[in-house]
Amino acid sequence: MESKLRQHIEKLVPLTDDEYAFVEQHFTFKKFKKHQFMVQQGEPVPYNYYLLSGLTKLVYTDEATDKQYILAFAMEDWWDNDFQAYYTRTNATLSMECLEDTEALCLSLDSFHALRNGLPGIEHFFLEKVIAGFLAAQRRILSLMTSSAQERYEQLVAQHPSLVQRLPKTQLAAYLGVSRETLSRLDF
Amino acid sequence: MESKLRQHIEKLVPLTDDEYAFVEQHFTFKKFKKHQFMVQQGEPVPYNYYLLSGLTKLVYTDEATDKQYILAFAMEDWWDNDFQAYYTRTNATLSMECLEDTEALCLSLDSFHALRNGLPGIEHFFLEKVIAGFLAAQRRILSLMTSSAQERYEQLVAQHPSLVQRLPKTQLAAYLGVSRETLSRLDF
DNA sequence: CTTTTAGTGTGATCTACCTCACAACAAAGT
DNA sequence: ACTTTGTTGTGAGGTAGATCACACTAAAAG
């Protein structure tokens, strides 16, 4: 069951049994229910989350207008968090909410640092992960600047067809940066 | 002179003289003139660049419409590149162009890997750098989704006043994702 | 000194997308 | 079974910002 994590890491760096045992002891397992907040705007963020199952969204809510802007979805085998708040031990500016029942492995910041110091090879793994996240974010910026709502929707369908099927249009719209009504008028 | 690089790295990880010598030998120094392309759309990207002086833009040009979309500016003490193309040894989808005469330290991908393997502590440095880049990109995504052209301009002024003074409005507009005319009408 | 070339402002028009409003329907809670 | 809550479509009207067009000025380049 936790071997999901091991497989996940070993896609990038090999681990001995001892090394993996060291890794595993830093994670704690938690379950969350649909609609539960794993991270809440304005509160501290004690953990980083590796998802074993379920579906979450990382969302910024504009208090004034009550509008939601979704930065990312995450599902099995993904990492998700308000990383900024986690890494700097500040209060979250984003919320992370479960869109389905979700199981996750939780890594405290102290454990994160302990891992990095105790097992230098793991930095290789995290570097690769963050590089991938950075490049994805850059592509998203370009997409927001160059593409119309319709094009962005089509890109999303092409890249993550499973997400499009699992999620209501309201959520997709908040991710794409379009109003729900406009998305409804495009589609097909 | 190259000690700029040493100071830059030592802000995050300490280095012995020997370690720094090892680092330095992997970089080569190059000068570029204004309007010169350090990376060109469609071509391979042999180096990653750490800027010692000058000013560059990382830009995507839509061939069909001839429009420019600027992903990032970089100046002294910054890294800049089409990292995606560099890291995967594919052809660039972005160009990197000098907006002023620029001096840079160049790091080939082989040297990058050699550094990571030969001096594991350096991964700590790169991990911190990429995390910072990732978080900046995420903030930019949110800004594009939540803020008007006016607000985005004001954010840029607040965050990088020196850039706003050094750059023509055309370039700023292409960075902000607004037309030059609209930016001209806001300002003040 | 003269000629390009780059930078900037401003009007007029157009459009992709937003907002508000309402209706119909499915799903979930009690 | 009933009531609340979430999901989706669609009309009408409004707006931020794009696009096209032109004029003016400053700065390279010859």
Side-chain angles (χ1 to χ4, degrees):
Chain A
M1 113 129 140
E2 324 299 52
S3 73
K4 249 182 201 166
L5 176 62
R6 181 166 188 174
Q7 281 175 33
H8 175 66
I9 297 174
E10 292 211 292
K11 274 179 215 152
L12 295 174
V13 300
L15 290 177
T16 66
D17 286 352
D18 280 356
E19 283 169 343
Y20 178 68
F22 177 71
V23 170
E24 192 184 15
Q25 87 188 47
H26 286 94
F27 286 85
T28 56
F29 175 80
K30 277 193 192 162
K31 285 187 176 204
F32 301 88
K33 278 173 290 180
K34 188 170 174 173
H35 293 135
Q36 210 177 333
F37 285 81
M38 297 169 70
V39 171
Q40 199 143 6
Q41 220 158 316
E43 314 229 325
V45 184
Y47 299 107
N48 197 8
Y49 298 101
Y50 169 71
L51 302 192
L52 296 168
S53 71
L55 183 57
T56 63
K57 67 174 171 183
L58 187 65
V59 64
Y60 172 75
T61 305
D62 183 334
E63 311 276 1
T65 61
D66 233 63
K67 272 200 219 163
Q68 300 219 139
Y69 302 90
I70 295 180
L71 260 140
F73 297 111
M75 39 198 288
E76 176 176 333
D77 216 42
W78 291 41
W79 295 78
D80 202 17
N81 206 359
D82 180 343
F83 196 83
Q84 158 99 314
Y86 168 74
Y87 202 58
T88 62
R89 295 190 203 271
T90 53
N91 288 341
T93 56
L94 308 173
S95 293
M96 184 169 151
E97 187 182 345
C98 297
L99 298 171
E100 298 177 3
D101 292 358
T102 295
E103 298 176 319
L105 292 175
C106 313
L107 181 66
S108 75
L109 189 56
D110 288 338
S111 284
F112 183 48
H113 287 309
L115 266 183
R116 287 171 71 178
N117 293 325
L119 184 59
I122 204 77
E123 294 219 298
H124 190 86
F125 168 77
F126 286 116
L127 183 51
E128 292 294 326
K129 279 287 144 193
V130 181
I131 286 174
F134 170 68
L135 292 177
Q138 254 195 196
R139 279 193 296 274
R140 181 112 176 264
I141 291 171
L142 254 192
S143 171
L144 284 168
M145 292 208 290
T146 63
S147 306
S148 67
Q150 170 99 30
E151 288 165 335
R152 272 176 277 146
Y153 178 71
E154 284 163 5
Q155 289 163 17
L156 181 63
V157 172
Q159 282 163 39
H160 302 291
S162 59
L163 277 182
V164 176
Q165 285 169 349
R166 253 163 113 175
L167 288 168
K169 296 256 154 79
T170 316
Q171 305 297 325
L172 296 177
Y175 175 82
L176 293 170
V178 214
S179 73
R180 199 219 91 231
E181 295 92 327
T182 299
L183 183 60
S184 167
R185 281 183 246 265
L186 302 178
D187 215 349
F188 74 83
Chain B
M1 115 123 141
E2 323 300 52
S3 73
K4 249 181 200 165
L5 177 62
R6 182 166 188 172
Q7 281 175 34
H8 175 67
I9 296 174
E10 292 210 292
K11 275 178 213 153
L12 295 174
V13 300
L15 290 177
T16 65
D17 286 353
D18 280 356
E19 283 170 343
Y20 178 66
F22 177 71
V23 170
E24 192 185 15
Q25 87 190 48
H26 286 94
F27 285 84
T28 56
F29 175 80
K30 277 193 195 163
K31 286 187 175 204
F32 301 87
K33 278 173 290 180
K34 188 171 174 173
H35 293 135
Q36 210 177 332
F37 284 81
M38 295 168 71
V39 171
Q40 198 143 9
Q41 219 158 317
E43 313 229 325
V45 185
Y47 298 107
N48 197 8
Y49 298 100
Y50 168 72
L51 301 193
L52 296 168
S53 71
L55 183 57
T56 63
K57 69 175 172 184
L58 187 65
V59 64
Y60 172 75
T61 305
D62 182 334
E63 311 276 2
T65 61
D66 233 64
K67 274 201 217 161
Q68 300 218 139
Y69 302 91
I70 295 179
L71 260 142
F73 296 112
M75 39 197 286
E76 177 176 331
D77 215 41
W78 291 42
W79 295 78
D80 202 18
N81 206 359
D82 180 344
F83 196 83
Q84 158 98 306
Y86 168 73
Y87 202 57
T88 62
R89 297 191 203 268
T90 52
N91 289 341
T93 56
L94 308 173
S95 292
M96 182 169 151
E97 186 182 345
C98 296
L99 298 171
E100 298 177 4
D101 291 359
T102 294
E103 297 175 319
L105 293 176
C106 313
L107 180 66
S108 76
L109 188 56
D110 287 338
S111 284
F112 183 48
H113 288 309
L115 267 183
R116 288 172 72 177
N117 292 326
L119 184 60
I122 204 76
E123 294 219 299
H124 191 86
F125 168 78
F126 286 117
L127 182 51
E128 292 295 327
K129 279 286 145 195
V130 181
I131 286 175
F134 170 69
L135 293 176
Q138 253 195 197
R139 280 193 296 276
R140 180 113 176 264
I141 290 171
L142 253 193
S143 171
L144 283 168
M145 291 208 289
T146 64
S147 307
S148 67
Q150 170 100 28
E151 288 165 335
R152 272 176 278 149
Y153 178 71
E154 283 163 6
Q155 288 163 17
L156 182 63
V157 172
Q159 282 163 38
H160 301 291
S162 58
L163 277 183
V164 177
Q165 286 169 348
R166 252 163 114 176
L167 288 168
K169 296 258 153 79
T170 316
Q171 304 297 324
L172 296 176
Y175 174 82
L176 292 170
V178 213
S179 73
R180 200 217 89 231
E181 294 92 327
T182 299
L183 183 59
S184 167
R185 281 183 246 262
L186 303 176
D187 216 352
F188 72 85

